[in-house]
Amino acid sequence: MTIPGRFNAFRIHNDDAGYRSGIEQVGIDDLAAGEIVIRAAYSSVNFKDALAGTGKGKILRRFPLVGGIDVAGHVVASSDAAFKEGDAVLVTGGGLGETRDGGYSEYARLQSATAIALPAGLSLRDAMVLGTAGFTAALALLRMTENRQHPGLGPIAVTGASGGVGSLAVDIFSSAGYEVHAVSGKPGQAEYLAAIGASKVLGRDALATTRPLESERFGGGLDTVGGGMLASLLAQTVAYGNIASTGLAASHELTTTVMPFILRGVSLLGVASTSPARDIREEVWRRLASDWKPRHLDRICTREVRMEQLADVFDGMLAGGSHGRTLVAI
């Protein structure tokens, strides 16, 4: 397939004219080097994308740069024998939209080391409804199960449950056989959370305690918010339960004590989704395409937009006006 000389991309600049972003025409040689070129079909919108696109977070390491930390599409050119024209592939993280030109582009040039062959059981659309958010949630579950988490320990608390990572975690954990208690500060999303797999929907007051230890309430948890809620979750987790820390929507700080760790053996597991080893990436995507595949992707995908709509989407997301996942049709 012939790659056009110029094509549309959502590009971000920061120079003497200020911080700005929008659709512009680029050529393939304007993009970061890589072994494969794909015609993009879908991307997605993550909180990090909104911060990068608006300049409200220090996400990008160089300028100008095409935004979008996720992308999926078909290979149109490859210098790596592992990929051939027509192959369906996906990339999440790996520097996209941070140090490398990302997925908000009709064509993307990628490092083959970060590309994953689309697993059987997922469409390109499915893969981007999942994207970094779904990969993060599933990576958290993988880390927890490797540390002997199992449904018998009790319900899993998911904080920030109406967001992208939270929504997919509710569905993924429930699909994997866990009882899920969704914790959300948005009472209006209770019906939505129940529909995607939450057996209980709790307000933020469920994690408002400041005592170093509380009664054992949760078998484990996935936390997207940090701060006091994470500390409270640790204090309410059963012996040898696991908490996966995936985000800092409320705070990057954590004030706690060693008591949950030394008296109950609770484990706090870090989840960094941008650069796990390739075998881990492949295992997570294999599980997402099979026994951990969410059952409610169409419900979790609450809107589908074009690149031209990204600026409005970013503003709404940063103002707290979104839930679930936003798919970008390229």
Side-chain angles (χ1 to χ4, degrees):
M1 181 176 179
T2 302
I3 301 168
R6 308 293 286 177
F7 47 87
N8 289 328
F10 184 90
R11 210 174 192 201
I12 304 166
H13 296 260
N14 186 17
D15 52 28
D16 292 343
Y19 201 105
R20 63 200 188 280
S21 60
I23 304 296
E24 60 185 80
Q25 292 266 299
V26 301
I28 197 67
D29 289 331
D30 294 321
L31 305 181
E35 296 78 27
I36 63 175
V37 178
I38 68 167
R39 178 167 175 77
Y42 294 101
S43 184
S44 65
V45 181
N46 301 277
F47 197 73
K48 186 181 287 186
D49 295 316
L51 292 172
T54 59
K56 294 180 180 178
K58 294 183 179 180
I59 305 299
L60 273 61
R61 308 297 173 83
R62 65 180 183 86
F63 298 90
L65 206 70
V66 175
I69 66 173
D70 298 334
V71 71
H74 290 99
V75 175
V76 296
S78 174
S79 61
D80 186 331
F83 297 95
K84 63 182 186 302
E85 185 174 342
D87 286 349
V89 300
L90 65 95
V91 177
T92 57
L96 291 189
E98 295 184 69
T99 60
R100 296 181 49 80
D101 292 291
Y104 296 157
S105 178
E106 291 178 328
Y107 291 83
R109 187 155 62 179
L110 308 169
Q111 293 174 310
S112 59
T114 64
I116 299 293
L118 184 73
L122 291 179
S123 66
L124 291 173
R125 188 179 191 279
D126 291 340
M128 289 296 97
V129 175
L130 289 163
T132 288
F135 180 82
T136 299
L139 179 58
L141 179 53
L142 182 66
R143 292 219 63 200
M144 292 168 70
T145 55
E146 287 177 342
N147 206 39
R148 305 188 64 157
Q149 189 74 38
H150 58 85
L153 287 177
I156 298 295
V158 176
T159 67
S162 67
V165 175
S167 293
L168 286 161
V170 169
D171 202 341
I172 289 167
F173 277 76
S174 63
S175 295
Y178 291 83
E179 179 183 352
V180 177
H181 291 184
V183 182
S184 175
K186 298 179 178 179
Q189 298 301 332
E191 181 180 346
Y192 161 76
L193 292 168
I196 63 172
S199 61
K200 288 186 180 180
V201 180
L202 309 174
R204 289 175 180 162
D205 58 339
L207 296 176
T209 180
T210 58
R211 295 173 60 184
L213 278 181
E214 291 284 354
S215 298
E216 296 180 346
R217 183 175 185 179
F218 304 110
L222 181 147
D223 176 66
T224 70
V225 301
M229 291 183 73
L230 174 54
S232 181
L233 181 53
L234 286 165
Q236 298 183 63
T237 298
V238 304
Y240 294 99
N242 297 278
I243 305 299
S245 175
T246 70
L248 41 66
S251 175
H252 68 278
E253 296 182 348
L254 177 61
T255 301
T256 187
T257 74
V258 299
M259 290 186 183
F261 310 120
I262 66 171
L263 297 181
R264 290 183 181 161
V266 173
S267 293
L268 179 60
L269 305 176
V271 179
S273 62
T274 55
S275 56
R278 185 175 187 87
D279 63 321
I280 296 175
R281 285 180 174 271
E282 291 176 340
E283 174 64 9
V284 169
W285 281 107
R286 184 189 70 79
R287 302 297 293 268
L288 281 170
S290 54
D291 53 328
W292 290 354
K293 184 176 180 179
R295 295 169 291 186
H296 308 95
L297 284 177
D298 287 340
R299 185 81 181 247
I300 291 171
C301 181
T302 53
R303 59 184 167 179
E304 182 173 328
V305 301
R306 309 290 298 184
M307 286 195 293
E308 293 80 4
Q309 300 168 271
L310 283 171
D312 290 338
V313 171
F314 293 160
D315 289 339
M317 178 174 282
L318 294 179
S322 63
H323 70 281
R325 289 284 283 161
T326 297
L327 185 72
V328 182
I330 304 297

